[in-house]
Amino acid sequence: MAFECRQDTEIGLKNCSGKCVDELGKSELLSNQIVFVKNGKTESLGTEKQLSISKSNSEIGLSFSEALPNQHWSFSDLPPALISEIFNYLDPKGLGIVSCVNTYLYRLASDHCVWKDFYYERWGQPATAANLGPGGSDENSWKKLFGEREFRSKTFMGRYSIDTLYGHKEAVRTVFVLASKKLVFTSGYDQVVRMWDLEEGLSITSSRPLGCTIRAVAADTKLLVAGGTDGFIHGWKVEDGNPHLFDLRAPQNQNMEFRIWGHDGPITCLALEFGKMYSGSWDMTVRVWDRSSLKCLNILVHNDWVWSLIPHDTTIGSTAGSSVYIWDTASGSLLSVIYSAHAGNAYALAQCHSGKLLFTGGEDGSIHMFEVTRNVKCNMRRIATWIPHTGSVYSLAFEFPWLVSASSDGKISLIDVRKLLKTSKISHTGKISKGSNADQKNVEPPQRMLHGFGCNLFSVGVGSDRIACGGEDGVIRIWNFSQALEIEQRIQSLRGMKLENRMRRRKLQIEMSSGKGNPGEQCSAAAKKNQMNSDKNGWHNRRRVGGKVKV
């Protein structure tokens, strides 16, 4: 953060013992000398002139403190409020580096409320407030929570196991992961909505056949909805005392179950947010519903079949045909549109929690990353492109920093978007670094591919350490990366032990070189100790133990 002075500003320097290289021609100042910089020129003042300036300053209410010999100022001498404002312009990595300077800055950086903003911007509201300590308001706990979640984000590059879930008799068209409750909801051509345990990989319950193909499912902790090809939305309300929230097997009850009509074509996408519900259909409309009264509030008309939608705050993004739209949900006005974003239909849509990044996947096998800015008007700018698949991209899911895609080529790609986010905190600056150009010549490759299934994959969902996917074969697969987290933790502990041993050896070498004790005795003792350790772990010792075991 740069501070600049106007050219006509007068700056008084008193008791300056350093050298001003640029302005004063490398001349050392005297301890009782005052130098003024005015209009780019320097001027040294004598004692009489200093007295007159002091008198004039006292007349207008300005006072200079008495000379303090050898006075040095540092960044930590700034007021805490000003330091806090400066910290707002740092990203998590920069804030962590600043906290290593001294204990004062460590305390300010650790207690800073910006860690809560960092967490909400990347992952939204945490699943449970119990992790935040007593009362859930300890700011230092937000830093700890952010560090734990950032550490867990490395798991998708580690080892995994696959849980294969059987239950659907036909192709699975939709998969929804409710990570906060560790539940997975699936449905498809067999007209049945099934609930699975995300961690155990077990079937919990299933609904009766709903009468048509289910292409969309959405859920939160209060409501579960499913959209059918007949144009209806079937929903279940939360049941008090039920650990799995919804009772899908119960007979139809008007108080706990409902069905609403409104679309003239198959429903392809659903979303829930606060007091509203959103549905998109092949009738070329997106409908906004009130969750309490189940009445339609607004209709957003497109010029082609609607394939996907995603709401954020007061806006909603949607794809229809090959185009991408941003709408205002209150007024129903179109804020921004990109025509022909893909060569073919734009099937998939995903967005980050802050709403600044929008991802689209299409029939051409490509994935585009857009920056969404809202100043006077809403703008979308494409800043990155990936082509990880040879078939159509049917589904996208985003869990910072991983963008997960499912395609008709039977593969799942994992893309880390952190390389494109190199500037300071997005929520404060509103800027995102320019990523690679969207040309075909400069396409970003995916970081990891999961493949080997050989069938169309229609839908994918992602949690903190698991990925769930369903496809044409009617099988639900859950990639479990929790073992990768345990392995990474063991690696971190081993690194800490190695670092501690290295520091001990270095300290011993410093003591020996400084002449403390007899170096010969220390070397002999260290050699004897190492020899004893090597004897314990040597091959001949292991062989002797092995022989005893055999006998």
Side-chain angles (χ1 to χ4, degrees):
M1 189 173 181
F3 295 91
E4 297 181 359
C5 296
R6 297 175 55 184
Q7 293 185 354
D8 58 348
T9 303
E10 299 182 357
I11 304 175
L13 303 177
K14 195 171 184 179
N15 298 325
C16 184
S17 60
K19 295 182 179 181
C20 299
V21 179
D22 298 330
E23 298 293 336
L24 302 181
K26 302 181 181 180
S27 61
E28 188 171 0
L29 299 176
L30 300 177
S31 61
N32 60 350
Q33 187 178 10
I34 293 181
V35 177
F36 275 80
V37 181
K38 187 173 183 179
N39 296 328
K41 299 180 181 180
T42 60
E43 181 181 356
S44 178
L45 304 180
T47 305
E48 298 179 357
K49 189 67 174 178
Q50 295 177 24
L51 293 175
S52 63
I53 291 177
S54 301
K55 183 177 180 181
S56 61
N57 286 335
S58 61
E59 291 177 356
I60 61 176
L62 296 177
S63 61
F64 291 93
S65 60
E66 293 296 331
L68 297 177
N70 300 325
Q71 181 73 25
H72 298 285
W73 298 94
S74 64
F75 178 80
S76 58
D77 294 323
L78 293 173
L82 181 57
I83 295 178
S84 178
E85 289 298 323
I86 295 174
F87 283 172
N88 289 337
Y89 288 88
L90 298 178
D91 58 0
K93 183 178 180 181
L95 199 58
I97 294 173
V98 169
S99 65
C100 298
V101 175
N102 55 38
T103 56
Y104 175 71
L105 292 180
Y106 174 80
R107 181 173 57 83
L108 289 179
S110 300
D111 298 341
H112 201 272
C113 61
V114 76
W115 292 108
K116 181 178 180 180
D117 298 335
F118 285 149
Y119 191 96
Y120 271 72
E121 178 188 335
R122 294 189 174 187
W123 301 290
Q125 187 175 0
T128 57
N131 296 330
L132 304 180
S137 60
D138 187 8
E139 299 299 341
N140 195 21
S141 298
W142 281 108
K143 180 185 177 183
K144 182 180 179 181
L145 193 63
F146 178 87
E148 292 175 353
R149 191 63 180 266
E150 183 74 10
F151 179 73
R152 284 162 56 189
S153 67
K154 302 177 182 178
T155 58
F156 287 146
M157 290 300 291
R159 298 182 181 181
Y160 63 86
S161 60
I162 300 178
D163 297 329
T164 305
L165 313 182
Y166 297 93
H168 287 284
K169 299 179 181 179
E170 297 183 56
V172 175
R173 292 294 313 188
T174 177
V175 174
F176 186 88
V177 175
L178 186 59
S180 61
K181 296 299 180 180
K182 301 175 183 178
L183 297 174
V184 181
F185 301 93
T186 61
S187 189
Y189 290 154
D190 61 359
Q191 309 174 11
V192 176
V193 176
R194 292 184 176 271
M195 182 192 302
W196 312 82
D197 186 281
L198 179 61
E199 291 191 344
E200 301 297 332
L202 300 175
S203 177
I204 298 175
T205 185
S206 61
S207 70
R208 66 184 185 279
L210 299 181
C212 63
T213 299
I214 305 300
R215 299 181 63 96
V217 170
D220 57 15
T221 57
K222 299 295 183 182
L223 191 64
L224 167 65
V225 290
T229 54
D230 286 350
F232 63 81
I233 299 174
H234 195 95
W236 293 266
K237 297 179 182 179
V238 66
E239 185 180 37
D240 295 335
N242 189 342
H244 305 303
L245 302 180
F246 311 103
D247 187 5
L248 304 183
R249 288 186 177 274
Q252 188 169 2
N253 185 351
Q254 293 183 355
N255 295 327
M256 305 302 297
E257 195 171 350
F258 63 87
R259 178 173 290 191
I260 56 177
W261 301 79
H263 288 284
D264 297 329
I267 294 177
T268 56
C269 48
L270 290 169
L272 299 173
E273 187 185 43
F274 303 118
K276 296 180 180 179
M277 177 173 59
Y278 305 89
S279 60
S281 171
W282 282 353
D283 63 2
M284 299 186 293
T285 64
V286 169
R287 289 178 178 262
V288 184
W289 306 82
D290 182 80
R291 288 176 56 162
S292 59
S293 63
L294 300 178
K295 293 183 179 180
C296 183
L297 302 177
N298 211 336
I299 300 177
L300 311 178
V301 180
H302 298 67
N303 59 0
D304 208 331
W305 289 0
V306 176
W307 292 103
S308 60
L309 62 87
I310 185 165
H312 180 268
D313 199 12
T314 60
T315 63
I316 180 172
S318 61
T319 61
S322 60
S323 304
V324 183
Y325 300 82
I326 300 290
W327 302 82
D328 184 273
T329 55
S331 63
S333 59
L334 181 62
L335 300 178
S336 181
V337 59
I338 295 181
Y339 296 103
S340 301
H342 290 270
N345 292 321
Y347 291 126
L349 195 63
Q351 195 171 30
C352 67
H353 284 280
S354 64
K356 299 296 181 71
L357 300 178
L358 188 69
F359 307 93
T360 63
E363 190 175 358
D364 54 3
S366 65
I367 300 172
H368 298 316
M369 175 179 173
F370 294 91
E371 174 191 3
V372 181
T373 57
R374 291 199 65 182
N375 297 323
V376 179
K377 59 180 181 178
C378 183
N379 293 316
M380 286 190 294
R381 182 174 65 92
R382 187 168 60 178
I383 58 177
T385 294
W386 300 272
I387 308 180
H389 299 288
T390 57
S392 302
V393 177
Y394 285 129
S395 180
L396 291 174
F398 184 72
E399 178 77 9
F400 187 91
W402 295 102
L403 177 65
V404 184
S405 62
S407 171
S408 62
D409 61 4
K411 298 179 181 179
I412 292 179
S413 71
L414 282 78
I415 301 172
D416 189 346
V417 303
R418 278 178 292 197
K419 295 182 179 179
L420 300 174
L421 309 177
K422 298 178 181 179
T423 57
S424 298
K425 183 182 171 189
I426 299 176
S427 62
H428 283 270
T429 61
K431 295 181 180 179
I432 300 177
S433 62
K434 293 182 179 180
S436 59
N437 296 328
D439 316 337
Q440 300 293 337
K441 299 179 181 179
N442 197 10
V443 174
E444 291 281 339
Q447 274 67 40
R448 190 168 192 177
M449 298 291 292
L450 308 176
H451 53 83
F453 307 102
C455 65
N456 292 338
L457 299 179
F458 293 127
S459 184
V460 66
V462 59
S464 59
D465 55 6
R466 284 171 172 82
I467 297 174
C469 186
E472 191 175 13
D473 57 357
V475 177
I476 307 298
R477 294 179 176 87
I478 298 179
W479 284 264
N480 184 357
F481 291 87
S482 59
Q483 295 179 359
L485 180 60
E486 297 174 359
I487 295 172
E488 185 69 19
Q489 288 175 342
R490 290 198 296 267
I491 292 174
Q492 293 287 352
S493 61
L494 289 175
R495 287 176 181 173
M497 294 174 60
K498 290 180 180 179
L499 179 61
E500 185 179 357
N501 293 334
R502 190 181 300 116
M503 296 300 293
R504 288 178 179 176
R505 291 194 298 268
R506 185 173 180 83
K507 183 178 180 180
L508 181 60
Q509 291 176 359
I510 293 174
E511 292 178 353
M512 292 170 57
S513 61
S514 62
K516 294 181 180 179
N518 189 355
E521 294 178 358
Q522 293 179 359
C523 291
S524 62
K528 186 176 181 180
K529 184 177 180 180
N530 291 335
Q531 185 177 3
M532 293 175 64
N533 292 335
S534 62
D535 289 341
K536 288 182 179 180
N537 301 322
W539 64 272
H540 54 278
N541 187 51
R542 291 196 298 270
R543 184 178 180 182
R544 184 165 57 252
V545 173
K548 291 180 180 179
V549 173
K550 290 180 180 179
V551 173

